[in-house]
Amino acid sequence: MTTPSTPRPRTAEQVGEQAGAVLREIGRAVVGKPDALELVMLGVLARGHVLVEDLPGLGKTLLARSFATTLGLDFRRIQFTPDLLPSDVTGTPLYDQRTGEMVFHPGPIFTHLLLADEINRTPPKTQAALLEAMAESQVTVDGETRPLADPFLVVATANPVEYEGTYSLPEAQLDRFQLRVRMGYLTASEELAMLRARVDRAAPETVLERLAGPEDVVAWRAVVERVEIDDDLLEYAVALVGATREHPQISIGASPRGGLALVQLARARAVLDGRDYVVPEDIKSLAVPALAHRVSLRPELWVRETSTDDVLREIVAGVGTPTTRRTAAVPS
């Protein structure tokens, strides 16, 4: 367990080792999802927010709670419903009879890791209560701005197949999420291992160990900010984003915020691999999770059941990958 006397990491290799240990610990609870766990960790390292979009029962809530536990972060969960009000998220001033003054009572958004569960079940007015928090890490209520905790991370879940009683997230809201994660079903062997582990431990969930704290996450993010990225790789990121605006099947392309997200996630991936520099594969491997939720397809493609992920993969395959003399080998 990390203590206040433990030296904070100073190098990408140290952060990569510590973040890897966190992922292995969470993997004890969230079985068979190493790619999804890695993407969420990249969001943590890159100061981003994560949208987990998938079917019910695949461990989305468990994933968020496990990250909070292992990283030692304060955790709040909001179950988004049609009758939820913005003040239920941000908090509201209430009259204090003892002092005769209005006293602000903070909402659940004042935490380190906020799980916005089934975010698409609440109306746009309440969804919008998260916009300022996600973009600027602050909340303004009755004209007074209050800073949020550092670090602050939103993990939102959404069910992509239910339409009745749901409200699609507007483009402005989707653009606030640094990346979108899909979990998918377990293989038969992974599901069998999960069932056996549940029977053997004789408890509903795995008890995870705390391996870090908020100060560690802040220190890790500082290391990410020192990761080098060459101009040709920045040009590659710009080319990928630009291609989404010119593709004939896309009506609305990715915004400049998409390019910023892609670069930051690539720098985080470098750190997770123990490197202080970005290689082309860092950007290439993250283009779909960083950009697919930021684009809108032409209406006629909905009938063909073409997904934004498919179109983004086509774009990645069509944009030339720059060559670099640096390799992705982890320093020894």
Side-chain angles (χ1 to χ4, degrees):
M1 182 182 298
T2 302
T3 65
S5 60
T6 303
R8 302 297 173 204
R10 300 296 182 186
T11 68
E13 188 172 6
Q14 291 173 328
V15 175
E17 291 173 355
Q18 294 184 4
V22 168
L23 288 175
R24 289 190 294 273
E25 179 68 11
I26 296 173
R28 295 175 49 232
V30 184
V31 178
K33 301 298 176 187
D35 293 340
L37 295 182
E38 180 175 311
L39 286 173
V40 176
M41 177 57 78
L42 293 180
V44 172
L45 294 173
R47 304 174 187 264
H49 307 287
V50 181
L51 176 63
V52 186
E53 189 178 79
D54 221 319
L55 301 172
L58 297 181
K60 300 187 292 292
T61 302
L62 175 62
L63 179 147
R65 192 166 59 247
S66 297
F67 266 93
T69 300
T70 309
L71 292 173
L73 303 179
D74 292 336
F75 176 74
R76 298 284 184 87
R77 175 180 180 270
I78 304 176
Q79 181 63 53
F80 280 78
T81 57
D83 60 347
L84 195 73
L85 299 174
S87 59
D88 295 327
V89 177
T90 60
T92 185
L94 297 176
Y95 180 73
D96 189 334
Q97 292 183 336
R98 293 173 298 179
T99 62
E101 298 177 348
M102 299 296 290
V103 178
F104 179 72
H105 288 253
I109 201 170
F110 288 88
T111 187
H112 288 129
L113 196 158
L114 176 69
L115 173 59
D117 212 2
E118 297 186 294
I119 190 173
N120 58 335
R121 288 196 177 277
T122 200
K125 182 178 181 180
T126 303
Q127 292 175 5
L130 289 171
L131 288 176
E132 181 186 13
M134 294 173 67
E136 303 173 42
S137 294
Q138 64 183 29
V139 169
T140 302
V141 178
D142 281 357
E144 184 173 350
T145 299
R146 295 174 173 83
L148 296 174
D150 187 17
F152 172 68
L153 169 68
V154 174
V155 176
T157 70
N159 183 345
V161 297
E162 288 189 38
Y163 298 101
E164 188 168 346
T166 63
Y167 305 83
S168 298
L169 293 175
E171 284 76 9
Q173 185 89 47
L174 286 170
D175 206 33
R176 294 305 200 279
F177 289 101
Q178 197 171 46
L179 74 164
R180 180 179 63 186
V181 178
R182 297 256 174 80
M183 300 186 71
Y185 288 113
L186 297 171
T187 65
S189 59
E190 290 168 342
E191 196 159 357
L192 178 61
M194 179 194 69
L195 295 175
R196 171 48 59 191
R198 169 62 182 89
V199 172
D200 290 345
R201 69 174 175 262
E205 294 183 6
T206 303
V207 177
L208 297 178
E209 182 182 353
R210 172 180 170 173
L211 299 181
E215 301 84 359
D216 294 289
V217 175
V218 171
W220 296 351
R221 290 175 168 183
V223 173
V224 171
E225 293 295 341
R226 298 197 296 269
V227 172
E228 297 178 2
I229 179 168
D230 295 335
D231 286 345
D232 60 339
L233 297 183
L234 293 177
E235 292 171 359
Y236 179 46
V238 169
L240 289 170
V241 173
T244 67
R245 302 168 189 164
E246 301 170 357
H247 197 281
Q249 295 179 315
I250 294 178
S251 60
I252 301 176
S255 70
R257 188 183 282 121
L260 290 169
L262 181 56
V263 168
Q264 280 302 102
L265 288 168
R267 297 171 86 191
R269 186 179 186 269
V271 168
L272 194 58
D273 284 349
R275 289 179 278 111
D276 60 1
Y277 57 88
V278 175
V279 297
E281 184 58 30
D282 294 328
I283 296 177
K284 188 173 185 178
S285 65
L286 291 165
V288 174
L291 300 178
H293 63 291
R294 302 175 191 272
V295 304
S296 297
L297 299 181
R298 297 193 180 280
E300 60 267 22
L301 297 178
W302 302 344
V303 180
R304 304 179 198 170
E305 297 185 350
T306 301
S307 72
T308 56
D309 287 25
D310 294 334
V311 176
L312 257 295
R313 291 189 189 97
E314 179 185 326
I315 288 174
V316 171
V319 176
T321 306
T323 57
T324 177
R325 47 195 173 80
R326 289 177 168 175
T327 64
V330 177
S332 58

